[in-house]
Amino acid sequence: MRFLSLALVLTISLTNGGCDDRLPIASHTMFPKGFMFGASTAAYQVEGGWNADGKGMSIWDNITHVHPDFIRTYQNGDVADDSYHLYKEDVKALKAVGMQLYRFSISWPRILPNGRINQINQPGLDYYMNLIDELLANDITPIVALYHWDLPQALEDIGGWLNPDIAQYFEEYADLIFKTYGDKVKWWITINEAWSVINGYGSFAWAPALNLHGTGDYLAGHNLLRAHGKAYRLYQRKYSHFGGKLSMAFCGAMCLPASDAPEDIAAAERCYQFSFGWFAHPVFKGDYPPIMREMVDRNSKAEGRNVSRLPYFTQEEINEINGTVDWFGLNYYTSMMTKNGITGDNPSTLRDTEMIQYWDPSWPSTASDWVKVVPQGIRVLAKKVKEEYGNPLTIVTENGYSDHGDRDVDRIGYFESHLAEIRRAIYEDGCNIVGIAIWSIIDNFEWKDGYTVKFGIVEVDFNSPNKTRTLKKSAYWFQNYIAMHKLIQ
Ligand code: PNW
């Protein structure tokens, strides 16, 4: 690993000595004491080793091998950053920047090659144990996601997230993971971005690309919630002595009303409930957002269906799912202007929402077509989360800027402006945000965009045999930023 040495020039004056730590300081230039900085990755995007040491196939291995054109660049995650072999380099990079948190995910088929508990792959279990030990030895706190989109192909073959039995398979997998790592890992995410997972069923965006819009997406979402509820209750029953905290990571583009007109404000509210609310409402309050239930039921009826496309939970399921988050994992990249209107395939979640969305032309773009730079959106979102769910303990579990390796200075601007909005959310709105794990520590496999779209603050030379990691300017910027904050900790 090549790291430049950089002198830290720290010219700060601490003006809030003696005050309540969370009271406003003059310009909100500092985060409250104890605020944690970190970075995120996901198994398929960094690990490689797609068939190493007994790992099974995931739906992403399968789709990239069977349909190479599914990825714009015809690339895949077979080798990626080779973190399966080079995880110590990742930890070195985190340490060099001064990160206190590392959010990574476990590949289900690396642990259970056919998805089921009857065949356990010990080298897979060892890999994550080594990674966790390496993090802890470096004073970096792990936040571990059980599922970041790489379902075992063997489970997809029997219906994947459309199969109700998957909730039980997920519970079995979670049991093994909690049992193995529970004494070392205190922060857990069951499902990363259920709202993205369902798009693999409702569109061609992600594996398994079934495009069952308006039906498969609702069914997959239903089973994701059931699976989450079971994993949470299992932890409560068997592993609460470990004292861990469980969550989901919630996502969506924040929905900003296109005007002050009541119908546009209502459309933005529907937009929120059909994305963040779809999953957050059930786990905080026990069932789907009422507006979602109403719209999908009404449209289903109008289509002549005798059952709603949005499934119903039984009372037992509601009890199981209600109150199953100890903290809120908030993923935020961007926002969208939202107005009242009907568009989208018939049927589809978009059509059910009755909204029309667009990007404000003044918002700067990034290398990802869906990410525009809208820092104020994260504050609006954090406030919404506070109001909707009783100000839960929140960690921003993803936030980041993509380029083609050419706009790292803009990446610094992105983080600077988003961190400023997070501070406003904390100090001015009273949001209980205690940390951030940015996306991402290293450049990695950006799904359909392959390796050409880069989110890392550390560059990876994908052509070099040892995938050389080199800190970018944005990494040095973070290094300074975090060092400065450590002075008040
Ligand atoms: C995240 N949205 O997905 C994923 O968790 C990461 O794996 C991925 O690399 C990262 O974004 C960058 O693309 C998202 O519509 C997908 O708001 C969609 C949204 C947000 C996050």
Side-chain angles (χ1 to χ4, degrees):
M1 178 168 327
R2 291 185 278 124
F3 288 143
L4 301 172
S5 72
L6 189 84
L8 296 180
V9 184
L10 299 170
T11 50
I12 55 162
S13 58
L14 304 177
T15 52
N16 69 333
C19 297
D20 181 317
D21 287 323
R22 297 189 74 93
L23 282 181
I25 50 174
S27 57
H28 307 155
T29 53
M30 306 294 278
F31 277 93
K33 194 172 174 178
F35 191 87
M36 300 174 285
F37 294 92
S40 291
T41 60
Y44 185 73
Q45 295 177 273
V46 300
E47 284 178 5
W50 75 277
N51 62 355
D53 306 331
K55 175 180 168 294
M57 288 277 269
S58 78
I59 54 175
W60 278 90
D61 295 317
N62 184 65
I63 205 162
T64 55
H65 292 182
V66 179
H67 301 287
D69 59 335
F70 187 67
I71 306 302
R72 286 189 188 99
T73 55
Y74 291 72
Q75 293 164 315
N76 59 45
D78 285 5
V79 182
D81 297 287
D82 201 14
S83 293
Y84 183 65
H85 299 106
L86 299 171
Y87 66 93
K88 287 189 179 171
E89 297 300 306
D90 299 341
V91 178
K92 262 191 224 165
L94 290 158
K95 188 75 181 167
V97 179
M99 294 300 191
Q100 298 148 299
L101 301 172
Y102 183 44
R103 194 207 115 174
F104 64 92
S105 77
I106 293 180
S107 160
W108 186 345
R110 192 179 293 290
I111 304 285
L112 303 177
N114 64 18
R116 302 298 307 276
I117 201 74
N118 64 324
Q119 192 194 335
I120 297 173
N121 184 37
Q122 189 59 41
L125 284 178
D126 295 344
Y127 169 66
Y128 297 106
M129 191 64 89
N130 292 337
L131 170 58
I132 291 164
D133 285 343
E134 187 73 9
L135 289 167
L136 295 177
N138 283 280
D139 289 325
I140 299 169
T141 302
I143 302 181
V144 180
L146 268 58
Y147 186 73
H148 196 127
W149 311 2
D150 46 354
L151 189 72
Q153 180 61 36
L155 294 186
E156 186 55 42
D157 291 342
I158 53 169
W161 289 105
L162 303 177
N163 177 352
D165 290 344
I166 197 165
Q168 184 207 321
Y169 307 157
F170 185 75
E171 185 185 3
E172 292 165 359
Y173 162 58
D175 194 0
L176 175 62
I177 299 299
F178 293 149
K179 181 165 53 190
T180 309
Y181 309 114
D183 59 335
K184 297 180 176 176
V185 175
K186 303 301 166 193
W187 294 90
W188 295 100
I189 293 169
T190 54
I191 309 285
N192 176 68
E193 297 191 347
W195 190 69
S196 295
V197 178
I198 58 113
N199 276 318
Y201 290 84
S203 75
F204 290 117
W206 289 292
L210 298 186
N211 199 28
L212 302 167
H213 44 79
T215 52
D217 33 24
Y218 289 126
L219 189 50
H222 199 69
N223 290 324
L224 282 156
L225 284 162
R226 293 176 54 248
H228 166 82
K230 286 196 185 305
Y232 186 93
R233 297 298 173 204
L234 168 93
Y235 191 93
Q236 270 189 324
R237 278 198 313 276
K238 285 181 74 172
Y239 302 108
S240 58
H241 56 279
F242 286 139
K245 286 184 164 50
L246 272 68
S247 179
M248 290 176 122
F250 301 94
C251 84
M254 188 52 196
C255 322
L256 304 176
S259 79
D260 290 340
E263 64 269 24
D264 288 343
I265 292 172
E269 170 64 15
R270 286 197 299 277
C271 169
Y272 173 87
Q273 297 300 351
F274 270 81
S275 50
F276 288 93
W278 183 338
F279 298 96
H281 201 282
V283 296
F284 279 98
K285 301 180 181 180
D287 206 344
Y288 292 111
I291 189 71
M292 199 176 162
R293 166 59 60 210
E294 184 189 319
M295 308 282 284
V296 187
D297 282 6
R298 195 192 62 200
N299 287 347
S300 302
K301 205 168 172 194
E303 292 151 19
R305 298 172 192 261
N306 58 357
V307 285
S308 177
R309 287 182 279 103
L310 180 64
Y312 278 77
F313 292 115
T314 63
Q315 189 55 49
E316 199 182 330
E317 287 171 335
I318 288 176
N319 296 343
E320 191 165 50
I321 292 165
N322 192 4
T324 53
V325 259
D326 303 319
W327 60 284
F328 196 98
L330 188 154
N331 290 4
Y332 176 85
Y333 289 87
T334 197
S335 297
M336 290 195 90
M337 285 297 189
T338 309
K339 62 178 188 172
N340 187 40
I342 297 184
T343 184
D345 291 329
N346 192 10
S348 64
T349 63
L350 176 58
R351 197 173 190 84
D352 290 331
T353 313
E354 293 190 7
M355 64 172 178
I356 295 171
Q357 292 196 294
Y358 62 94
W359 292 292
D360 187 300
S362 72
W363 295 340
S365 20
T366 69
S368 307
D369 49 15
W370 59 280
V371 182
K372 310 293 172 196
V373 182
V374 198
Q376 64 274 27
I378 196 167
R379 179 177 172 193
V380 182
L381 172 58
K383 198 166 173 214
K384 178 76 175 160
V385 167
K386 176 187 173 192
E387 284 163 1
E388 285 278 310
Y389 316 114
N391 206 10
L393 183 75
T394 298
I395 296 178
V396 176
T397 34
E398 283 184 35
N399 175 242
Y401 177 91
S402 62
D403 66 359
H404 293 111
D406 53 346
R407 308 283 292 268
D408 191 47
V409 172
D410 292 334
R411 176 173 293 110
I412 295 173
Y414 180 97
F415 285 126
E416 197 157 40
S417 59
H418 284 74
L419 289 169
E421 292 296 330
I422 294 170
R423 285 195 301 272
R424 287 189 188 108
I426 294 171
Y427 292 119
E428 291 174 32
D429 304 332
C431 296
N432 191 12
I433 307 175
V434 300
I436 182 169
I438 58 137
W439 189 272
S440 174
I441 185 66
I442 46 177
D443 291 336
N444 57 55
F445 181 75
E446 180 49 21
W447 308 112
K448 280 199 151 189
D449 289 324
Y451 297 97
T452 54
V453 168
K454 298 165 191 293
F455 274 92
I457 59 169
V458 173
E459 181 191 335
V460 175
D461 180 356
F462 291 103
N463 296 317
S464 68
N466 53 356
K467 311 288 174 207
T468 310
R469 278 99 161 126
T470 308
L471 270 69
K472 301 182 190 178
K473 286 193 179 72
S474 53
Y476 289 112
W477 181 84
F478 256 112
Q479 191 185 54
N480 272 295
Y481 197 88
I482 296 168
M484 186 172 75
H485 276 85
K486 281 183 181 162
L487 290 180
I488 61 160
Q489 311 270 299

